[in-house]
Amino acid sequence: MSDNEQPPSPAVVEEKKPASTAEADLTKYKTAADIIHGVTKKLIELAVEGAKIIDLCIEGDKLIEAGTASVYNKPVKGVKVAKGLAFPTCISVNNAVAHFSPLASDPQSEQVLAKHDVVKIQLGAQIDGFAAISAETIVVGATADAPATGRRADVVKAAWHAAELAMRTIKVGNKNWAVTEAVGNISSAWGCKPVEGMLSCNQTQNVIDGKKRIILNPSEAQKRDFDTVTFAEGEVYGMDVLISSGEDGKVCKRIRPKCNQCQLTSNIQARLEESRTTIYQRDSTVTYQLKMKNSRAVFSEVQKKAGAFPFNIRSLEDEKRARMGLQEAVQHSLVKPYEVIFTPANTFVAGFHFTIALLPSGPLLITHPPIWYKPELVKTEKELEDENLKSVLARNLRESKKSKKKKAKAEGEAEAKEE
């Protein structure tokens, strides 16, 4: 971005007194979502053949900071409203599943986008601890006249349809396993599979990795051990849909510690490569007195700059000192790593992440629909044939008042006949 160019402008927010706390919280979620929508749009424009991934990551973070800096500047009871990154910008290409955001000192910092790359763009913003996180997938160079084809098109189309189905399955009264089953079923229409063990979580203020969770493509052990939860009114979920063009969504069994939201559980089925971890998050549930002076200084900086949210080492004052200081914090689980994970070579992973609220009036998609994805940009030989799934996708995310009245009337007539 040139010095004269302005960052994407978020929707103007009038800081008038809301009708309720819940309404105020929802406005903060939506304001954060508007900001990341504008930033994502700019990044898609910049994600062309030859673009350096590190430049896109840095630009994304810079634009999020600029966007959040322009809203909610009136102190509340004399206290400034916390705001900024809820998830650092990540640009993960082809078989990289997630969390790729290199530093200038990394060998991967020279990586550039190539034509036909399947590129996942993920980022998040937060206002007063209310986070909106979003991700979408593009194919570099694809146009309506020259659309993506083959397995690239299959995996992108499968991922978007799976995300749409997940939106319609996360509703009050449904259980988390309904989402697991729905995403697995619909992705198979294009010969694809969800990445095994991928987690999505409920969100609250300053928490993006809550205890109510959804798992995709679980192993048999995970099926036995994973908690069943029921979606309830008033909850917010960050749903991460990551689909692989591989046959089973897994490639190897390398045991790693359990990771937090957006990461794989302990039975990781995606391959860890030499890409260095750059994104971490403080675990507020763990307490430990760090022994080393440098570790304490780095941890203090993390708490001050990132709070409860994930951060990139790039945001800390001294990269070398930060890496050394984080070692002790990670060893004692004060800080969790978001490792860069991969599926096998010659496979592709497409992903969409959305934030959704379960309101009394019905589900509300907080984040925006994808900017890049359009049916004419991905040409596939396979199509969805399951009529039940097609009918679910044809429904609006939220029932209209007219539909609700019609449904209630039909139910009333049915009850009258039974009597």
Side-chain angles (χ1 to χ4, degrees), residues 253-314:
K253 295 182 179 179
R254 183 172 178 180
I255 306 301
R256 304 291 293 189
K258 182 179 176 182
C259 299
N260 52 327
Q261 186 262 2
C262 270
Q263 290 193 284
L264 303 180
T265 52
S266 58
N267 207 10
I268 288 181
Q269 300 301 327
R271 183 162 46 91
L272 289 151
E273 290 195 351
E274 292 305 313
S275 296
R276 291 203 296 174
T277 300
T278 60
I279 298 175
Y280 296 83
Q281 182 186 12
R282 178 172 67 89
D283 188 341
S284 58
T285 66
V286 176
T287 57
Y288 176 79
Q289 183 61 46
L290 293 166
K291 303 294 189 292
M292 297 175 63
K293 182 179 178 180
N294 182 51
S295 300
R296 294 195 297 272
V298 171
F299 187 65
S300 176
E301 185 183 2
V302 166
Q303 290 179 299
K304 182 179 178 181
K305 289 187 174 179
F309 294 98
F311 63 93
N312 193 308
I313 290 178
R314 190 189 304 119

Side-chain angles (χ1 to χ4, degrees), residues 229-414:
V229 299
T230 303
F231 304 128
E233 187 177 295
E235 292 178 338
V236 174
Y237 284 84
M239 183 68 206
D240 204 4
V241 177
L242 283 157
I243 306 297
S244 170
S245 64
E247 292 181 359
D248 53 13
K250 57 185 176 182
V251 293
C252 69
K253 295 182 179 179
R254 183 172 178 180
I255 306 301
R256 304 291 293 189
K258 182 179 176 182
C259 299
N260 52 327
Q261 186 262 2
C262 270
Q263 290 193 284
L264 303 180
T265 52
S266 58
N267 207 10
I268 288 181
Q269 300 301 327
R271 183 162 46 91
L272 289 151
E273 290 195 351
E274 292 305 313
S275 296
R276 291 203 296 174
T277 300
T278 60
I279 298 175
Y280 296 83
Q281 182 186 12
R282 178 172 67 89
D283 188 341
S284 58
T285 66
V286 176
T287 57
Y288 176 79
Q289 183 61 46
L290 293 166
K291 303 294 189 292
M292 297 175 63
K293 182 179 178 180
N294 182 51
S295 300
R296 294 195 297 272
V298 171
F299 187 65
S300 176
E301 185 183 2
V302 166
Q303 290 179 299
K304 182 179 178 181
K305 289 187 174 179
F309 294 98
F311 63 93
N312 193 308
I313 290 178
R314 190 189 304 119
S315 68
L316 302 181
E317 187 176 334
D318 186 307
E319 177 196 325
K320 187 175 180 180
R321 189 189 72 157
R323 279 208 180 274
M324 292 178 62
L326 285 171
Q327 288 179 8
E328 186 184 2
V330 171
Q331 183 182 354
H332 295 282
S333 302
L334 278 176
V335 172
K336 301 176 182 180
Y338 281 81
E339 291 167 320
V340 183
I341 47 182
F342 296 79
T343 55
N346 302 317
T347 62
F348 303 99
V349 175
F352 292 89
H353 186 117
F354 60 87
T355 307
I356 190 168
L358 302 181
L359 305 181
S361 54
L364 174 70
L365 186 63
I366 292 173
T367 46
H368 293 251
I371 297 165
W372 182 89
Y373 182 87
K374 296 177 183 63
E376 60 268 24
L377 295 177
V378 286
K379 183 178 180 181
T380 60
E381 295 180 4
K382 305 178 181 74
E383 293 298 339
L384 183 62
E385 296 179 359
D386 188 305
E387 293 301 327
N388 290 332
L389 294 178
K390 287 165 100 174
S391 68
V392 174
L393 290 174
R395 298 176 199 160
N396 291 328
L397 184 59
R398 183 187 292 196
E399 282 187 276
S400 65
K401 291 182 180 179
K402 187 176 180 181
S403 297
K404 287 182 179 179
K405 287 180 180 178
K406 188 176 179 181
K407 184 178 179 181
K409 183 180 178 182
E411 290 174 353
E413 290 174 351

Side-chain angles (χ1 to χ4, degrees), residues 52-55 100 102-112:
K52 288 180 70 171
I53 289 176
I54 188 173
D55 292 344
F100 188 74
L103 307 180
S105 59
D106 294 338
Q108 295 84 1
S109 64
E110 295 302 313
Q111 185 176 342
V112 299

Side-chain angles (χ1 to χ4, degrees), residues 6 8 26 31-32 35 41 51 71 84 97 118 124 182 192 196 238 251 257 271 297 306 314 345 348 358 363 399 417:
Q6 298 298 315
L26 185 61
T31 303
I35 291 168
K41 185 176 180 181
V71 297
V97 177
V118 177
C192 297
E196 185 177 70
V251 293
R271 183 162 46 91
R314 190 189 304 119
F348 303 99
L358 302 181
E399 282 187 276
K417 286 180 181 179

